[in-house]
Amino acid sequence: MNIIVTGGAGFIGSNFVFYMLKKHPDDRIVCLDCLTYAGNLSTLEPVMGHPNFRFVKDDITDREAVYRLFEEEKPDMVVNFAAESHVDRSIEDPEVFLRTNILGTAVLMDACRKYGITRYHQVSTDEVYGDLPLDRPDLFFTEETPIHTSSPYSSSKASADLLVLAYYRTYGLPVTISRCSNNYGPYHFPEKLIPLMIANALNDKPLPVYGKGENVRDWLYVEDHCKAIDLIIHEGRVGEVYNIGGHNEMTNIDIVKIICKELGKPESLITYVADRKGHDMRYAIDPTKIHNELGWLPETKFADGIKKTIQWYLEHKDWWETIISGEYQNYYEKMYGNR
Ligand code: NAD
Ligand code: TYD
């Protein structure tokens, strides 16, 4: 099996590349990534010399480059992780989100139609369902929950999902979609909540909690997400959407307090800052479908996953210190300087 994995130099994509090379040693993995600020070639260092791995630096919106790669590789499957993924950046500048997340998806699927594949898998997000109220803990997102987005990021992901389903119905492209809750784990870019708080706490810097810190996310260890996608591309039904979630809802403030405790840092570092515009209150996935159809269940408990994650950041300071010492400083100043 020859699989193109787009966005494989980012957080979840790189974890997926590692997982697949180990789990399916006979498969070939071709990573297509244009290395935006969020893509990091050093992350893929351990597999660069692997005989069944190839890295290609190209943009998924570049039709010519994508067709050339399909011509060369004749892939059996495509798993699309490539995206602009940060809600705060989408609020500052939506355009690149529309280009990569929507147009890029269309280009990849056009290539799939032209050259033929057995599966196109779209990695999507629970954010396409909008948010749930804090006072209705009985409500969860199912695959039937209507699309109802809040941010330019989630709107671009929802648009891509609709296109994927349209390519299934119109052209019969063999697609699947997974909609996952918030991931955490190794190689998570330090602009996101958990790695940002770990890095700041280790540097004794303020921990910027948006609003009151009451917003709830459903956290899933990244390897559990990779396992779910592996199951879907091999055993999932074509044309179907599968929700993936950890049944692990936590408020942001509780997460930050756990990080302080694990690192032995004082909670006085916590600083409440201006809220995110249009901030979603609560995400919560009902993963019954993927459990019943494919037998998937999250395996890593949050208490263990967060310890492993913190340990990883302690042991891989070079990886994130290089990132936060560069262009990221301008980003941080812009987003948090006067907040
Ligand atoms: P990330 O931002 O860490 O990585 C994105 C990767 O895509 C980077 O390597 C980047 O260089 C690459 N990329 C961006 N634009 C590209 C383009 N035009 N052409 C080629 N490559 C490009 O993102 P992530 O957190 O790993 O998320 C991966 C996917 O999973 C995204 O589609 C995201 O919407 C989805 N998702 C993420 C989460 C989460 O918690 N992080 C949850 C659910 C779904
Ligand atoms: P984030 O990691 O950006 O993921 P998403 O917005 O896709 O869920 O943020 C997770 C939650 O943490 C979200 O409610 C916003 C909040 N947050 C903060 O309070 N402070 C921060 O500095 C960041 C980056 C996020």
Side-chain angles (χ1 to χ4, degrees):
M1 190 83 80
N2 195 4
I3 307 176
I4 290 185
V5 176
T6 69
F11 165 44
I12 309 175
S14 60
N15 278 282
F16 186 72
V17 167
F18 299 145
Y19 178 81
M20 292 296 280
L21 285 171
K22 210 164 157 187
K23 176 84 191 298
H24 304 283
D26 295 332
D27 285 356
R28 174 176 166 82
I29 304 290
V30 178
C31 170
L32 170 62
D33 195 304
C34 71
L35 301 178
T36 65
Y37 78 91
N40 203 327
L41 208 48
S42 75
T43 301
L44 294 171
E45 192 71 51
V47 295
M48 274 304 187
H50 194 293
N52 286 348
F53 179 74
R54 177 184 174 197
F55 177 79
V56 178
K57 183 176 181 303
D58 265 317
D59 192 312
I60 59 164
T61 65
D62 182 343
R63 194 173 285 275
E64 231 174 81
V66 169
Y67 285 12
R68 197 182 328 117
L69 182 64
F70 273 66
E71 192 90 48
E72 283 168 18
E73 290 290 344
K74 312 248 175 331
D76 300 292
M77 290 190 185
V78 174
V79 183
N80 181 25
F81 291 92
E84 289 294 333
S85 68
H86 193 34
V87 172
D88 291 326
R89 287 185 191 255
S90 83
I91 293 167
E92 290 298 306
D93 184 10
E95 193 175 323
V96 67
F97 286 73
L98 311 188
R99 198 164 52 243
T100 293
N101 299 1
I102 307 173
L103 189 62
T105 298
V107 169
L108 288 170
M109 290 193 298
D110 285 341
C112 290
R113 286 175 57 213
K114 187 169 157 71
Y115 294 95
I117 36 97
T118 58
R119 184 66 65 86
Y120 173 87
H121 183 74
Q122 178 74 0
V123 180
S124 186
T125 165
D126 60 356
E127 300 192 29
V128 302
Y129 298 121
D131 65 351
L132 297 164
L134 289 182
D135 61 357
R136 289 295 306 274
D138 55 315
L139 295 180
F140 295 90
F141 299 135
T142 73
E143 291 78 1
E144 271 69 52
T145 302
I147 300 279
H148 187 78
T149 56
S150 311
S151 70
Y153 163 68
S154 56
S155 305
S156 68
K157 294 294 291 183
S159 306
D161 283 12
L162 295 177
L163 259 186
V164 173
L165 295 173
Y167 273 56
Y168 170 63
R169 174 152 173 168
T170 308
Y171 307 115
L173 193 73
V175 305
T176 37
I177 296 176
S178 53
R179 295 182 178 146
C180 191
S181 60
N182 287 61
N183 285 213
Y184 68 102
Y187 300 107
H188 203 179
F189 195 83
E191 68 189 348
K192 304 282 170 60
L193 178 76
I194 289 181
L196 184 144
M197 296 300 168
I198 295 173
N200 281 18
L202 285 172
N203 288 327
D204 298 308
K205 282 178 62 177
L207 307 177
V209 172
Y210 299 168
K212 294 184 186 149
E214 288 172 338
N215 307 66
V216 170
R217 299 291 183 263
D218 176 0
W219 293 94
L220 181 71
Y221 193 63
V222 63
E223 196 181 39
D224 280 324
H225 186 186
C226 296
K227 286 179 184 166
I229 294 174
D230 183 27
L231 273 175
I232 295 168
I233 61 177
H234 289 105
E235 294 170 36
R237 285 183 296 138
V238 161
E240 293 292 317
V241 174
Y242 292 91
N243 283 353
I244 309 170
H247 265 313
N248 180 59
E249 291 179 50
M250 301 191 66
T251 61
N252 295 339
I253 189 65
D254 283 346
I255 297 266
V256 178
K257 285 182 178 169
I258 288 172
I259 291 171
C260 288
K261 189 156 174 252
E262 289 290 332
L263 290 173
K265 298 290 180 179
E267 287 183 10
S268 56
L269 286 175
I270 295 173
T271 311
Y272 291 93
V273 299
D275 210 350
R276 175 185 279 173
K277 291 189 182 100
H279 198 172
D280 280 338
M281 282 316 299
R282 171 175 168 247
Y283 303 143
I285 283 272
D286 174 356
T288 305
K289 179 174 173 180
I290 188 167
H291 176 61
N292 287 350
E293 282 191 22
L294 307 179
W296 178 88
L297 273 179
E299 289 168 28
T300 303
K301 290 196 177 67
F302 188 78
D304 301 327
I306 194 70
K307 280 198 175 70
K308 277 205 269 188
T309 303
I310 289 174
Q311 193 56 35
W312 187 89
Y313 279 86
L314 285 169
E315 286 167 8
H316 294 79
K317 276 193 173 172
D318 278 3
W319 184 85
W320 57 269
E321 277 178 346
T322 309
I323 291 171
I324 65 172
S325 66
E327 179 57 28
Y328 181 79
Q329 291 209 340
N330 297 334
Y331 164 82
Y332 199 88
E333 183 51 34
K334 184 174 162 205
M335 300 305 250
Y336 297 92
N338 291 314
R339 198 156 184 154

